[in-house]
Amino acid sequence: MYYDVAIIGAGVAGMAAASALARKGLTVALIESGQDNRINIGECLMADALPIMARLGFENEFIAAKYRSLQSYRVIWGALQPYERHLMTSPTGSGWIVDRRHFDELLLARCYDCNVDVYWKSKFQRIKQTMNGLWQFIFASVDMPDIEAHFVIDASGRARGLTKQLGIKSQQLDKMVASCCHIDTPDQSICGVANIVSDMNGWWYYAKFSHSRGSLCYFSDSDLGLPLSAEELLKQAQTTLSLTELLHQSKPVINTFRRCPAYSSALQQCIGHNWLAVGDAAMSFDPLSSYGMTSALSSAFYGSQAVLRYFKGDTAYLQVYQTLLQRNYLSYLVNREQEYRKVSRMNSVFWRRRQEAKAIHLKSAEAH
């Protein structure tokens, strides 16, 4: 089957880009190696995501979902005095703590409404360009139809399914991973607040996304001691002094435990001949920044604009897209370094690595 665009990865960036392109008349295949009932992490959206969603065409659906308002961050960070950062007084205002499964279902429904062909559990062995310049997917399963596309978008996250095959280099800043699960809790006193707490080997995130359920995550390096189950994760959190009271009556939702990469990284080149990368496949951010979902939506919008212009004969915008992403990433690196340097009294491997790290300036960015 032929498509104008094939997108690898049905995460936030992939689904948003797919619907944005399909509603403009392009034929789009969305290829995902996983299943459609996955549990994904990341639920904080800043207020500046709303105008991006408006440009992508699903602002009304998002507002109608009535997700919980994110009013503030409660932060206990190293030796600093605990403080609360109220978003209502920020330039952009309060954000949202979304039910991630519901949000992903919203994006998927948008894809189906725009006639995107979605292929679940479709793992390709390799992808190559034919003599006439089309991308051809070679799948592991004989049940998958042959797929060819004029343009390919890598939205496969840090796995970088396309760009790794193309030999595109990336720079990885650290070894951070996230250990996460959902928890059931009766506590009604912390709605609208996301909690961030540092400890000797990393830091915690906890926020409620519904009346009785929240998301608990621990961020540390992959070579340090990590919890192995939802029960172990919650038990470790409950021994963290600043979280004990919040979580003392909570229970883990066993089948929601997940460990996934959370490191900062960037491609040296996120565009090429008939391809580009979006979301974490292009540049991935430390969850401390709260950039993740907003950045995914933003890159999906600007990436889809670059592709639409490409099909109209304007290829110059591809370079504009790359420059925009690289500038954003360099700005992020400066902010990331400043935040981690605030924790200077914890003499552990995790914090020494952050205090000694220097912001990486991509050679490709310096060239522009």
Side-chain angles (χ1 to χ4, degrees), residues 114-143:
C114 295
N115 297 315
V116 174
D117 287 343
V118 184
Y119 297 91
W120 295 105
K121 295 188 288 187
S122 302
K123 188 173 183 179
F124 63 90
Q125 293 177 321
R126 63 191 179 96
I127 180 173
K128 64 178 183 178
Q129 277 190 300
T130 62
M131 293 294 292
N132 59 0
L134 295 179
W135 293 98
Q136 185 179 67
F137 287 80
I138 311 299
F139 290 95
S141 172
V142 295
D143 296 328

Side-chain angles (χ1 to χ4, degrees), residues 73-85 196-198 242 342-343 345:
Y73 282 93
R74 189 175 296 160
V75 182
I76 301 176
W77 198 242
L80 298 176
Q81 287 293 318
Y83 65 93
E84 192 158 344
R85 180 160 64 90
I196 296 175
V197 179
S198 62
S242 304
K342 291 177 181 178
V343 183
R345 297 184 185 180

Side-chain angles (χ1 to χ4, degrees), residues 15 59 81 83 99 106 126 200 247 312 322 342:
M15 289 191 287
E59 174 191 23
Q81 287 293 318
Y83 65 93
D99 180 331
L106 184 156
R126 63 191 179 96
M200 283 297 293
L247 303 175
K312 293 179 180 179
Q322 174 163 275
K342 291 177 181 178

Side-chain angles (χ1 to χ4, degrees), residues 290-309:
S290 297
Y291 280 12
M293 290 178 66
T294 303
S295 175
L297 293 170
S298 178
S299 67
F301 171 72
Y302 289 107
S304 63
Q305 292 301 302
V307 174
L308 289 169
R309 294 191 186 197

Side-chain angles (χ1 to χ4, degrees), residues 160 162-172 265-271 275 281-283 322 326 362-364:
R160 296 184 169 126
L162 171 66
T163 56
K164 282 186 178 178
Q165 288 202 27
L166 297 179
I168 306 300
K169 294 181 179 180
S170 63
Q171 294 179 311
Q172 182 175 329
S265 65
L267 290 175
Q268 289 188 339
Q269 175 187 345
C270 58
I271 61 169
W275 69 268
M283 297 175 182
Q322 174 163 275
Q326 289 174 335
L362 303 178
K363 293 180 180 179
S364 55

Side-chain angles (χ1 to χ4, degrees), residues 231-265:
E231 299 98 325
E232 191 175 331
L233 178 67
L234 179 57
K235 184 177 180 180
Q236 185 175 330
Q238 288 171 331
T239 62
T240 302
L241 186 60
S242 304
L243 294 173
T244 302
E245 185 176 350
L246 291 177
L247 303 175
H248 74 286
Q249 291 184 313
S250 300
K251 295 181 180 180
V253 182
I254 308 302
N255 62 353
T256 62
F257 181 77
R258 184 182 176 193
R259 178 166 298 136
C260 57
Y263 54 77
S264 302
S265 65

Side-chain angles (χ1 to χ4, degrees), residues 342-360:
K342 291 177 181 178
V343 183
S344 58
R345 297 184 185 180
M346 289 189 181
N347 187 22
S348 66
V349 172
F350 179 88
W351 293 105
R352 284 200 303 271
R353 286 172 176 170
R354 271 80 191 158
Q355 292 152 14
E356 294 166 0
K358 299 294 183 182
I360 296 177

Side-chain angles (χ1 to χ4, degrees), residues 1-155:
M1 295 184 67
Y2 169 80
Y3 293 92
D4 295 320
V5 182
I7 300 177
I8 305 167
V12 170
M15 289 191 287
S19 60
L21 293 170
R23 75 189 185 105
K24 294 297 184 180
L26 297 183
T27 57
V28 180
L30 184 59
I31 302 168
E32 170 57 52
S33 60
Q35 303 183 87
D36 61 351
N37 59 349
R38 302 162 299 164
I39 294 175
N40 293 312
I41 63 168
E43 49 276 314
C44 287
L45 269 174
M46 299 298 100
D48 52 5
L50 193 60
I52 300 171
M53 288 186 276
R55 290 180 170 186
L56 287 166
F58 62 92
E59 174 191 23
N60 292 336
E61 293 95 324
F62 179 81
I63 293 173
K66 296 182 179 179
Y67 295 115
R68 290 199 164 212
S69 173
L70 174 59
Q71 300 168 7
S72 66
Y73 282 93
R74 189 175 296 160
V75 182
I76 301 176
W77 198 242
L80 298 176
Q81 287 293 318
Y83 65 93
E84 192 158 344
R85 180 160 64 90
H86 294 275
L87 298 181
M88 284 297 294
T89 58
S90 70
T92 55
S94 59
W96 299 271
I97 305 173
V98 304
D99 180 331
R100 182 58 188 275
R101 175 169 285 183
H102 185 276
F103 183 73
D104 288 352
E105 289 173 351
L106 184 156
L107 291 176
L108 181 59
R110 180 74 178 172
C111 287
Y112 288 136
D113 288 344
C114 295
N115 297 315
V116 174
D117 287 343
V118 184
Y119 297 91
W120 295 105
K121 295 188 288 187
S122 302
K123 188 173 183 179
F124 63 90
Q125 293 177 321
R126 63 191 179 96
I127 180 173
K128 64 178 183 178
Q129 277 190 300
T130 62
M131 293 294 292
N132 59 0
L134 295 179
W135 293 98
Q136 185 179 67
F137 287 80
I138 311 299
F139 290 95
S141 172
V142 295
D143 296 328
M144 274 296 296
D146 293 333
I147 290 180
E148 290 186 336
H150 188 79
F151 202 99
V152 174
I153 295 177
D154 191 346

